[in-house]
Amino acid sequence: MNYQELCRLLADATDTTGKRLYDGREARAVARVFLEDLYGFTLTDLYNGRSIDVASGLVRRLTEGVPVQYVVGKALFADRYYKVREGVLIPRPETAELCQWIAEEAKENDEVLDIGTGSGCIAITLALNTGAKVTAWDIAEEALETARENSRNLKAAVNVERHDILQPTTDERQWDIIVSNPPYICESEKAAMEANVLEHEPHLALFVPDEDPLKFYRAIARFASKTLRKGGRLFFEMNSRLVRDMEQMLEAEGFTDVEIRKDLYGRERMIKAVLK
C-alpha cells in the first residue's frame, strides 16, 4: 500500500450510519501521520509512491475511526514524541502554546505543579525547556503510568503523583506556578464533536456537567490560593465559551492581573492569574 492508496481508503471509510469518517484533508493528514510515524516514510516516499505491506489490523482500526495517535501509539507535541494509549487524552497543539507562555515566565528551579497531567506533556515540556522542578498530578491510573513512562523515555525529572483535586489532601508544599488543562467541554457540546473523539478519548478528561462547567477550575483555583507563593501564577487552558465566567471566578478567589491569550485558531484559550 502507498500513501495515495491509503488516502483513498480512508476517504471512503464510513461509520455505522454511513457518514464519512474523514474528509479529503483529514484522510491525507491521517495517512501521513500513520506512514511517517509507524513506517518511517519521508516526504519523498509519500509523493513518489513508495509501497509497503502495512498491518491490515492497524489500517482497519483507522477505518473504524480510532484516532491515528492511538493506532501508532504516540503523538507529536512541542517537537517531542509522547507515548499515548486509549484512556489518556491525546496532546493538542493548543496546549503546546500554553507551555510556551509558561516557559516565557518560568525560572530555573521554580516549583511547578501540573494538575491533571494526562500523558505528562505539559509537565515534561516545562521540565525540559525551563529547568523548573516539576510535579505532575492525576487521578487515572492509565495517565499516571503513561506520564511516568514518558518522563523516563524523555529523561525528564518529573515527580508523578496520584491526587484528586476535587478531594485534595493536606499538602504543605508551596508552588511558584500551578498549571492545568482540566476537563472543560460541556456535556451539551458533545453533539458538535467528532465521533472518533467521543468514541475513543477518555470522557473523564474531556467533559464537565452543563450546570457546573467551572467545577475543576474552581477547585484548582481554591487550592492554588492556599498553596501558591506570593506572586505565584496560575495558568489554565480553558473553554473559549467560558472566558468571562473564568475571569469573574478567579477574581472572586483572590487572584489579580488576569490575562488572556488566543490560540493558533484565534480562540481565547489560555488564561493566567497572579496571587498577590
Side-chain angles (χ1 to χ4, degrees):
M1 179 176 288
N2 61 33
Y3 170 65
Q4 289 77 13
E5 290 169 339
L6 182 56
C7 288
R8 287 194 293 270
L9 181 66
L10 295 177
D12 289 338
T14 58
D15 63 18
T16 54
T17 68
K19 179 183 176 181
R20 290 191 184 277
L21 289 170
Y22 311 99
D23 62 26
R25 180 190 58 80
E26 291 167 334
R28 291 190 296 272
V30 169
R32 179 172 175 175
V33 169
F34 179 77
L35 292 172
E36 287 180 344
D37 288 359
L38 201 56
Y39 294 95
F41 270 42
T42 64
L43 275 176
T44 301
D45 293 330
L46 292 174
Y47 295 108
N48 282 358
R50 177 187 171 191
S51 184
I52 58 171
D53 292 329
V54 299
S56 60
L58 297 181
V59 174
R60 183 174 64 253
R61 295 188 75 202
L62 292 178
T63 61
E64 292 170 348
V66 178
V68 64
Q69 293 88 348
Y70 289 149
V71 175
V72 302
K74 59 184 178 181
L76 184 64
F77 179 86
D79 298 323
R80 298 182 181 96
Y81 278 101
Y82 288 78
K83 178 171 183 176
V84 292
R85 53 166 64 91
E86 295 198 46
V88 178
L89 192 69
I90 297 167
R92 263 62 173 189
E94 305 95 295
T95 308
E97 294 183 275
L98 177 63
C99 291
Q100 183 176 353
W101 187 9
I102 298 169
E104 292 169 2
E105 302 197 8
K107 303 181 184 66
E108 189 172 1
N109 295 320
D110 269 357
E111 294 187 82
V112 177
L113 174 62
D114 173 26
I115 297 176
T117 196
S119 64
C121 61
I122 293 176
I124 292 167
T125 298
L126 295 178
L128 293 176
N129 290 4
T130 70
K133 299 176 181 177
V134 183
T135 297
W137 288 1
D138 211 297
I139 190 173
E141 288 302 324
E142 297 93 337
L144 294 167
E145 181 181 344
T146 303
R148 291 187 181 112
E149 186 170 350
N150 282 324
S151 297
R152 290 193 299 270
N153 291 344
L154 292 167
K155 297 179 172 55
V158 174
N159 183 30
V160 181
E161 302 174 0
R162 188 183 190 280
H163 289 275
D164 181 357
I165 195 59
L166 297 180
Q167 297 178 330
T169 57
T170 302
D171 194 318
E172 296 181 354
R173 286 177 288 182
Q174 296 284 298
W175 312 96
D176 298 293
I177 293 172
I178 293 177
V179 56
S180 184
N181 176 21
Y184 61 66
I185 302 172
C186 295
E187 291 282 344
S188 59
E189 296 179 76
K190 283 183 177 180
M193 295 181 67
E194 295 294 335
N196 62 340
V197 174
L198 286 174
E199 294 174 6
H200 300 284
E201 294 203 58
H203 286 206
L204 180 66
L206 290 170
F207 297 108
V208 287
D210 288 350
E211 63 271 17
D212 191 11
L214 301 187
K215 174 180 178 180
F216 290 97
Y217 292 115
R218 189 180 303 105
I220 294 166
R222 288 177 179 170
F223 174 80
S225 69
K226 298 180 179 68
T227 58
L228 277 173
R229 295 186 173 96
K230 184 178 180 180
R233 288 141 292 169
L234 176 61
F235 290 85
F236 285 121
E237 184 173 326
M238 62 179 174
N239 188 331
S240 58
R241 295 171 58 182
L242 302 173
V243 175
R244 305 288 86 82
D245 294 329
M246 288 288 292
E247 289 179 305
Q248 293 171 11
M249 181 274 292
L250 288 167
E251 289 168 358
E253 296 297 334
F255 289 87
T256 62
D257 300 330
V258 176
E259 182 179 352
I260 295 161
R261 288 194 182 181
K262 295 180 179 179
D263 64 18
L264 70 166
Y265 303 109
R267 296 174 297 204
E268 293 179 312
R269 181 67 70 188
M270 298 161 278
I271 192 166
K272 180 188 83 169
V274 178
L275 186 69
K276 292 296 188 181

